[in-house]
Amino acid sequence: MTTSATSAHSPPELEPLLKKRLIRLVALILIFSVMNGTMFNVAIPDIADHFNLLPSQVSWVMTGYIMVNAVGALMYGKLADIFPIRSILTFGISMFALGALLGFLSPSYGFLLASRILQAIGGATIPALAFIIPTRFFPNERGKVFGIISSTIAFASGIGPIAGGLIAGILDWRYLFLFSVASVFAIPFFRKWMPAEEKREGKIDYLGALLFSIAIASFLAFVTTLMMWLIPVASLSFVLFILRIVKAEDPFIRPEMLKNRAYTITILTSFLGTSVLFGLIFVIPIMLRDLYDLSTLAIGFVLFPGAMIAGILGRSGGELVDKIGGEKVVVLALVLIGSGTILLSTFAGFAPWIIAVCLVISYIGFPLIQSSTANILSAILPAKQTGVGIGLFNLLNFVAGAFSSASFGAILDIQDTGIVLNPFALQGENAIFSNLFLGLTVLSFLALLLFSMTFKKHSSAD
């Protein structure tokens, strides 16, 4: 009985060479997934022109993808607590590549949107499981692996718009789909290198999963479309979900996990930090267009140094997590993020290269906040809850991206702001951007305060 339990719940120790191959493969497939999301940002106008669509119609190319990825992040996390990761990834990458191929061939917008949703259904497995794989297969060096994964996400997020602009500009927006088809070639290597696992005990609370999915999808749809009728739908679904997890014998999310203060504060800290960073990625291109009249490609090159440096240093950040602990790295990450945003607030309106330098400081915080919070969560959660716990962490990161983009977009609609709140900033057209960056600074340091106070009490209790 002991041997069976060990084989089912404790995958065999991997050889060093196999570890390196698997980590590189995860990072590679993650690049496909992340770039697939960011590349399409620059192609939205071209898709709208091709199918003669209104902005509200074409926005569902991104909105639908985000919604499915957000819900899928939690769903696949829960499935990973029961089913072998290798099987889930095989299914996910297959659907991701098939959706991409159908998107490339799409004769109509409806067909394209359906293909994009299919792509998201499969693609959601990749970021969801990328943060679970280190916890399950690399427990003694998970900080390092989390750092590699987080730095890969930061790098791919930055290079995605540049690659999208080049591919769509030289070829056509359809070839953005074709780029993702190549991911299917990773499946044989995952089947070969990923440790075999047995199915674990457990069952899926499908009603709870459905209620939670409706609540999250309705909320994200409201955030991105501002259709008011979605608020009661989201609220009612969430209330019913809470009632379900309280009464169900084996609920989709166990209430005791949400009552764990260290867990909830950690995912809230990640949510706030990620909101700031996605806010930057959303606001910076708009500022560079409005204040400097830069082209899409030029905007990409302003974002690129931060993504590149974050991709390089993020790996070292993961090793730092293993050496000094996740809590200290979270503090460092939030200080870097806040320092970068206050500098951006001060230098908004200065030369683009100065903006690029300031952005690097905040960008470095991205892989640090991701790897450190993921590492803390993997240590807090019991093994049987790791999948759904990390899944909820990933879900909130997707929600953070949608929420920050919609919120900051609404604020940027206020064009008559003439008051600059930062006394060291320039006066003029940059006012709204300077004030936004200052607000992001306040948000990052509020997250720092909340996290520091919680873990100070948590350490004292221990």
Side-chain angles (χ1 to χ4, degrees):
M1 184 176 291
T2 303
T3 304
S4 176
T6 301
S7 63
H9 297 283
S10 300
E13 182 68 21
L14 299 178
E15 297 179 1
L17 180 59
L18 192 56
K19 283 183 179 180
K20 290 182 180 179
R21 288 176 175 174
L22 185 56
I23 292 170
R24 289 171 182 168
L25 185 61
V26 171
L28 177 63
I29 201 68
L30 198 55
I31 289 176
F32 280 98
S33 174
V34 176
M35 286 184 63
N36 180 72
T38 57
M39 283 194 306
F40 275 87
N41 286 336
V42 299
I44 291 297
D46 293 336
I47 295 174
D49 290 342
H50 183 89
F51 292 110
N52 194 26
L53 301 170
L54 296 172
S56 59
Q57 294 173 309
V58 75
S59 66
W60 281 99
V61 170
M62 297 303 300
T63 301
Y65 190 84
I66 292 172
M67 286 171 55
V68 175
N69 262 279
V71 174
L74 182 57
M75 291 294 298
Y76 289 120
K78 179 67 175 180
L79 289 173
D81 284 335
I82 302 174
F83 299 99
I85 288 180
R86 186 168 66 179
S87 300
I88 300 173
L89 269 178
T90 301
F91 166 80
I93 296 173
S94 299
M95 293 300 100
F96 180 68
L98 177 60
L101 180 61
L102 293 175
F104 176 74
L105 301 172
S106 54
S108 65
Y109 178 63
F111 195 94
L112 181 145
L113 191 57
S115 303
R116 185 76 168 149
I117 297 300
L118 179 62
Q119 199 181 17
I121 290 172
T125 60
I126 299 170
L129 299 181
F131 279 95
I132 297 174
I133 287 172
T135 301
R136 187 165 297 176
F137 302 124
F138 309 100
N140 298 323
E141 45 192 318
R142 61 178 182 239
K144 174 184 176 182
V145 182
F146 279 139
I148 293 172
I149 291 170
S150 301
S151 61
T152 300
I153 293 174
F155 172 76
S157 297
I159 200 172
I162 298 175
L166 289 173
I167 293 173
I170 297 174
L171 298 172
D172 184 73
W173 60 266
R174 290 183 181 274
Y175 286 86
L176 299 180
F177 279 108
L178 205 57
F179 170 83
S180 300
V181 174
S183 63
V184 75
F185 294 108
I187 292 178
F189 297 101
F190 272 117
R191 303 289 300 178
K192 181 179 180 180
W193 295 339
M194 185 76 71
E197 300 175 272
E198 296 179 14
K199 183 177 179 294
R200 293 166 169 80
E201 293 183 2
K203 58 183 180 180
I204 303 295
D205 175 19
Y206 292 104
L207 178 58
L210 176 63
L211 291 171
F212 191 81
S213 299
I214 293 173
I216 292 298
S218 300
F219 174 74
L220 285 174
F222 165 72
V223 166
T224 53
T225 64
L226 297 181
M227 290 188 286
M228 299 302 295
W229 64 270
L230 290 166
I231 295 180
V233 174
S235 302
L236 178 60
S237 301
F238 186 72
V239 169
L240 292 175
F241 170 73
I242 296 298
L243 293 174
R244 175 65 182 176
I245 66 173
V246 171
K247 295 182 177 180
E249 181 180 348
D250 189 9
F252 188 65
I253 299 176
R254 292 193 170 276
E256 58 265 28
M257 187 177 74
L258 300 178
K259 292 177 182 177
N260 185 329
R261 182 168 174 79
Y263 173 78
T264 54
I265 293 301
T266 300
I267 61 173
L268 178 59
T269 300
S270 175
F271 173 82
L272 293 174
T274 305
S275 294
V276 173
L277 290 161
F278 275 110
L280 284 179
I281 295 172
F282 177 80
V283 173
I284 290 290
I286 296 174
M287 183 183 76
L288 293 175
R289 183 195 62 203
D290 290 354
L291 298 185
Y292 306 95
D293 197 27
L294 296 185
S295 66
T296 300
L297 189 59
I299 291 171
F301 281 118
V302 173
L303 296 173
F304 182 72
M308 175 64 77
I309 294 174
I312 295 171
L313 297 183
R315 296 170 181 252
S316 302
E319 295 175 353
L320 190 63
V321 170
D322 285 330
K323 290 180 180 178
I324 68 174
E327 291 89 347
K328 293 180 180 178
V329 178
V330 169
V331 172
L332 174 61
L334 291 172
V335 169
L336 286 169
I337 293 169
S339 299
T341 52
I342 190 64
L343 288 173
L344 285 166
S345 174
T346 302
F347 293 107
F350 281 69
W353 70 267
I354 297 178
I355 301 300
V357 172
C358 297
L359 191 57
V360 166
I361 299 172
S362 282
Y363 230 123
I364 293 173
F366 182 78
L368 293 181
I369 192 76
Q370 292 273 295
S371 59
S372 56
T373 50
N375 189 69
I376 292 171
L377 294 177
S378 63
I380 290 173
L381 296 168
K384 62 182 180 181
Q385 294 180 13
T386 300
V388 70
I390 297 293
L392 186 57
F393 160 78
N394 282 319
L395 180 148
L396 285 177
N397 287 337
F398 279 107
V399 173
F403 181 76
S404 61
S405 298
S407 301
F408 301 143
I411 295 173
L412 286 173
D413 287 341
I414 307 172
Q415 297 293 333
D416 58 350
T417 300
I419 301 174
V420 180
L421 300 177
N422 185 342
F424 303 103
L426 293 174
Q427 302 288 329
E429 295 180 348
N430 62 295
I432 185 66
F433 298 106
S434 177
N435 293 342
L436 252 180
F437 295 137
L438 187 61
L440 293 176
T441 303
V442 173
L443 191 61
S444 61
F445 280 102
L446 282 176
L448 174 60
L449 181 63
L450 177 66
F451 180 84
S452 300
M453 290 178 62
T454 299
F455 275 83
K456 184 178 180 179
K457 293 178 180 178
H458 187 67
S459 300
S460 300
D462 293 340

